[in-house]
Amino acid sequence: PAIFTFGLSIPIGAAIGGGAGLCVGTAVGSTVGLVGGGATGGIYAKRTEVCQTVTDALSATNAYVSDTTKASTEFFSSKVAASTTFISSRAPSVVARFRSQPPAGAAAAC
């Protein structure tokens, strides 16, 4: 008897689960389709406002990126100029150390 019940419980459970999945899937899919279609229809009805909002957002983003890029470029340019000046002022003493000659006007360190 247990072998007979086990043999029928799997196919019956599969049929019930499949039927329930079909019903639930149909209900959820149609609800999502209805809501998605309604949202799309609402957006299409107000497409000029949506287009203007997107255009304004892109314009603001472009202005921000442009300003940030300009400020970053100026900052890094000033840092490069300061580094170049510093290295130019230190280069003769470094070269002199490698040549084992003290730089002009400097006392020997060792």
Side-chain angles (χ1 to χ4, degrees), residues 46-61:
K46 297 183 179 187
R47 63 186 177 276
T48 55
E49 292 89 355
V50 171
C51 182
Q52 185 61 43
T53 302
V54 170
T55 303
D56 293 344
L58 288 175
S59 176
T61 303

Side-chain angles (χ1 to χ4, degrees), residues 12-50:
I12 290 173
I16 292 171
L22 177 69
C23 293
V24 171
T26 301
V28 171
S30 61
T31 303
V32 169
L34 177 68
V35 171
T40 303
I43 290 172
Y44 183 77
K46 297 183 179 187
R47 63 186 177 276
T48 55
E49 292 89 355
V50 171

Side-chain angles (χ1 to χ4, degrees), residues 5 10 17 20-21 25-26 28 40 45 47 53 58 68 75 83 85 97 109:
T5 305
I10 292 176
T26 301
V28 171
T40 303
R47 63 186 177 276
T53 302
L58 288 175
T68 304
F75 174 77
S83 296
T85 303
R97 283 185 191 165

Side-chain angles (χ1 to χ4, degrees), residues 38-99:
T40 303
I43 290 172
Y44 183 77
K46 297 183 179 187
R47 63 186 177 276
T48 55
E49 292 89 355
V50 171
C51 182
Q52 185 61 43
T53 302
V54 170
T55 303
D56 293 344
L58 288 175
S59 176
T61 303
N62 286 339
Y64 174 76
V65 168
S66 176
D67 293 343
T68 304
T69 303
K70 185 176 179 183
S72 296
T73 302
E74 291 171 358
F75 174 77
F76 285 115
S77 294
S78 69
K79 290 296 182 180
V80 167
S83 296
T84 303
T85 303
F86 177 76
I87 290 172
S88 296
S89 68
R90 299 286 297 189
S93 64
V94 172
V95 170
R97 283 185 191 165
F98 280 115
R99 292 183 180 165

